[in-house]
Structure formats: C-alpha cells, structure tokens
C-alpha cells in the first residue's frame, strides 16, 4: 500500500472514532429508552483496516 492509502485509512479510522464520541450522548439517551446503538463493530473494522494498511506500508 502506498502512503496515500495508509493516510486515507488513518483518516477514516479517526473519523470513525470521532463519530463514536459524538454519538455518546445519543447512545446514553437510547440506553435509557432500552435501545442499543452498535458503533463498536464499525470502530473495530476501521481499526483493522488501518492496522493492515500500516503493516503493508512498513514492509
């Protein structure tokens, strides 16, 4: 992978984390209503993508 692809993967990972943080008040309100927001799989997927990009660029 090129540095450009690694940078894009990092940007997407950071954006996903930001969305997760911004969704926290919504998630807390939903939890009070008995609902669950599943953001964790999205963050974990973005993290794996970035880690693969980082490993590929360091080889």
């Amino acid at each position: 992978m090129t540095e450009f692809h690694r940078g894009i993967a990092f940007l997407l990972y950071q954006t996903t984390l930001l969305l997760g943080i911004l969704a926290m008040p919504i998630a807390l309100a939903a939890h009070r209503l008995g609902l669950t927001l599943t953001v964790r799989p999205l963050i974990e997927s973005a993290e794996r993508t970035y880690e693969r990009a980082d490993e590929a660029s360091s080889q």
Side-chain angles (χ1 to χ4, degrees):
M1 284 216 158
T2 65
E3 289 295 319
F4 177 74
H5 288 112
R6 181 175 168 251
I8 293 296
F10 180 72
L11 178 66
L12 290 173
Y13 174 60
Q14 293 297 315
T15 302
T16 304
L17 288 176
L18 177 63
L19 290 174
I21 291 168
L22 293 176
M24 182 61 75
I26 298 167
L28 291 173
H31 183 68
R32 288 184 179 209
L33 297 173
L35 303 172
T36 303
L37 297 179
T38 55
V39 178
R40 178 173 282 173
L42 181 63
I43 293 173
E44 290 173 348
S45 175
E47 182 180 17
R48 282 191 306 272
T49 300
Y50 172 68
E51 288 174 350
R52 281 191 301 242
D54 190 39
E55 289 173 1
S57 70
S58 65
Q59 292 180 356

